């Protein structure tokens, strides 16, 4: 355990954690699994009929969509990172172990949008454990009603 967080060694462990978060916040969840080197997005160079990596392992990716507001989707990669999209704002390179904390901040109302007058712009700020935050630029054209309601 790291700072009270469980480590998520596999994509399946992360999917199980995301199902628990969906149940905790009473959200619908839809999971799509891609298993095998010929199915995963980062292994497009895999030959025809090749499903394992060179080391014999079976890569596993998952795409998870949550129902409700805010619109959130998570793409879990077999390399141990994730791409989380919150209301069309992409947050790349989130470590797999940080995904549950990231989602709890979003669904729990801790995430906010910081607006600046000069230089003009918005940033989605998601608090994480150990006094860390993930910050992502939000173009003004992408401000949805949910994002606008979180502007500070």
């Amino acid at each position: 355990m790291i700072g009270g967080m469980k480590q998520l060694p596999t994509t399946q462990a992360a999917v199980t954690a995301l199902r628990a978060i969906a149940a905790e916040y009473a959200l619908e969840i839809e999971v799509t699994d891609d298993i095998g080197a010929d199915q995963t997005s980062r292994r497009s160079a895999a030959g025809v009929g090749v499903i394992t990596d060179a080391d014999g392992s079976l890569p596993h990716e998952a795409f998870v969509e949550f129902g409700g507001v805010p619109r959130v989707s998570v793409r879990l990669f077999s390399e141990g990172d994730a791409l989380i999209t919150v209301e069309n704002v992409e947050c790349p390179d989130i470590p797999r172990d940080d995904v549950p904390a990231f989602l709890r901040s979003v669904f729990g109302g801790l995430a906010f949008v910081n607006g600046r007058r000069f230089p003009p712009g918005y940033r989605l700020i998601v608090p994480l454990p150990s006094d860390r935050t993930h910050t992502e630029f939000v173009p003004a054209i992408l401000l949805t009603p949910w994002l606008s309601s979180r502007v500070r």
Side-chain angles (χ1 to χ4, degrees):
M1 298 203 21
I2 299 175
M5 282 189 332
K6 293 181 185 175
Q7 289 187 354
L8 303 171
T10 65
T11 300
Q12 191 58 46
V15 169
T16 301
L18 297 186
R19 288 184 192 278
I21 289 170
E24 180 180 335
Y25 290 98
L27 299 169
E28 292 182 15
I29 186 171
E30 185 177 326
V31 179
T32 305
D33 291 295
D34 295 324
I35 300 174
D38 59 338
Q39 299 294 313
T40 56
S41 63
R42 293 187 178 170
R43 304 246 181 2
S44 58
V48 176
V50 176
I51 59 170
T52 60
D53 282 341
D55 64 357
S57 65
L58 213 62
H60 177 196
E61 291 182 2
F63 181 74
V64 180
E65 287 183 290
F66 291 89
V69 176
R71 293 182 322 247
V72 175
S73 66
V74 180
R75 180 79 188 187
L76 296 163
F77 298 105
S78 58
E79 288 86 8
D81 64 327
L83 167 67
I84 300 176
T85 305
V86 179
E87 292 287 323
N88 296 323
V89 177
E90 290 187 349
C91 303
D93 302 323
I94 306 294
R96 184 170 35 212
D97 291 342
D98 286 344
V99 171
F102 187 103
L103 294 177
R104 281 192 175 94
S105 288
V106 171
F107 294 136
L110 297 176
F112 62 95
V113 175
N114 186 6
R116 293 174 48 167
R117 292 180 194 238
F118 189 79
Y122 297 93
R123 300 214 180 323
L124 173 64
I125 300 172
V126 181
L128 297 171
S130 302
D131 292 331
R132 297 177 298 136
T133 59
H134 182 83
T135 304
E136 208 59 54
F137 176 74
V138 180
I141 196 164
L142 289 183
L143 279 178
T144 64
W146 185 86
L147 289 169
S148 294
S149 72
R150 301 294 184 274
V151 173
R152 290 185 183 174

